[in-house]
Amino acid sequence: MTIHLQPPTSSPAASTPDAADVALKAKHATMWGLGDYPAVARELIATLGPVVVEALDVKPGQRVLDVAAGTGNAAIPAALAGAVVVATDLTQSLLDVGRAAAEAAGAHLEWRQADAEALPFPAATFDTVLSVVGVMFAPHHQASADELVRVCRPGGRIGLICWTPEGFIGQMFAAMKPFAAPPPPGAQPPPLWGREEHVRLLLGERVVSVSAEKRTVAVTFESGEAFRDFFKRTYGPTIVTYRFIADDPEKVAALDDALAELGRSALDHQGQMEWEYLLVTATRA
C-alpha cells in the first residue's frame, strides 16, 4: 500500500506562502543539514522513536505519518511493526540518511520532503500521526498543530515527544539564546511544546483522551566539555549560534564556558545525563 502525495485540502496552511516564510523555511532546512544530526539521532536519542510507537500501539496495516521525521527514529520502528509509513522532513539530506538506515534494517516506507506547517496530504489520510523532537522546531506552533490534526482521521491517534523547557535541552536553548540571532517575527520557542498546557491549547477540542507524561532519556558523555564539543560539531542550532558570533572571540569563549558548565552540572558520577521530555498522546475527535 502506497500513500501518494496530493495537494492538501481544507488546510489554511496550504495557501501560497509569502517570501519571508519561504526564506525562513529554507534557513531551517539548511540548519538541520549542518553538522551531523544523524549522529545525534543515532547515538543519543535512538530509543525515543520506539517509545512513541509503543505508546500509540502502532499495529500492522495502520497508515502512519511521521512529521519532521529526521532520519526516521520513529518512522523506521513503526514500519518494522508492520505499519504503512510516510516519513516527512524539511531537510532532504536527513531523509536520505533515513532511507539508507531503513534499507539496512529491512524496513519499507516512503520518504517525502515536506513542511510540517503545510503537509501535502488530504484531510483524514492517516490512522496515526506522530513526531519525535521534530515538529516542535517548526516556527509557527498553531499552524503545525493544525496540520497534525487535519491529516489524522477521526478516531485516529496523535503522539508527540518534545523536549521540556525545564529539561536539559530546554536549558541548552536558554543558554544559547543570548548569543543567537533574534528569532523572526511570529516564531515561537521550540521548548514550549514541552509544556502540557501549551500542547493542549494548540490541539484544543479537536482531540480527546489526552495523556501527557514527563519522562527522561539517559545520555552519556565523558565531561561537560565533551558534550559541548559534540554539539558544536553535530547539532544545527548550536552550529548556527556559533556562526552568528564567530567574529566576536569573547562571545565565543563565553558560550563555550556556558555550554561546558551546563554539561558538567547535568552529569552524574557515572557520566550520565537525564534529558527530560514530554510524551503526549491524544485521539482525534
Side-chain angles (χ1 to χ4, degrees), residues 11-23:
S11 171
S15 59
T16 302
D18 60 26
D21 189 62
V22 171

Side-chain angles (χ1 to χ4, degrees), residues 100-171:
E103 291 175 358
H108 303 283
L109 62 154
E110 290 187 61
W111 301 85
R112 302 286 185 176
Q113 187 175 24
D115 180 357
E117 297 180 6
L119 294 169
F121 304 102
T125 297
F126 296 94
D127 302 303
T128 301
V129 179
L130 55 85
S131 185
V132 174
V133 296
V135 75
M136 64 180 291
F137 291 101
H140 308 113
H141 294 189
Q142 192 61 64
S144 50
D146 290 348
E147 286 294 87
L148 295 176
V149 174
R150 183 184 67 81
V151 300
C152 186
R153 67 165 176 82
R157 300 276 283 159
I158 296 172
L160 306 168
I161 285 180
C162 302
W163 302 120
T164 66
E166 302 81 14
F168 182 81
I169 297 298
Q171 292 179 46

Side-chain angles (χ1 to χ4, degrees), residues 92-104:
Q92 183 62 48
S93 61
L94 297 183
L95 297 174
D96 294 340
V97 173
R99 183 181 291 107
E103 291 175 358

Side-chain angles (χ1 to χ4, degrees), residues 18-110:
D18 60 26
D21 189 62
V22 171
L24 176 60
K25 299 302 172 59
K27 287 183 178 180
H28 273 237
T30 298
M31 178 180 69
W32 290 106
L34 297 174
D36 188 5
Y37 185 76
V40 177
R42 181 180 62 251
E43 299 175 24
L44 303 182
I45 59 172
T47 58
L48 294 186
V51 167
V52 75
V53 170
E54 180 181 358
L56 292 169
D57 193 23
V58 172
K59 289 183 167 56
Q62 288 182 339
R63 301 164 299 169
V64 175
L65 176 65
D66 187 355
V67 179
T71 56
N73 272 16
I76 292 174
L80 291 174
V84 180
V85 181
V86 180
T88 66
D89 199 274
L90 201 58
T91 304
Q92 183 62 48
S93 61
L94 297 183
L95 297 174
D96 294 340
V97 173
R99 183 181 291 107
E103 291 175 358
H108 303 283
L109 62 154
E110 290 187 61

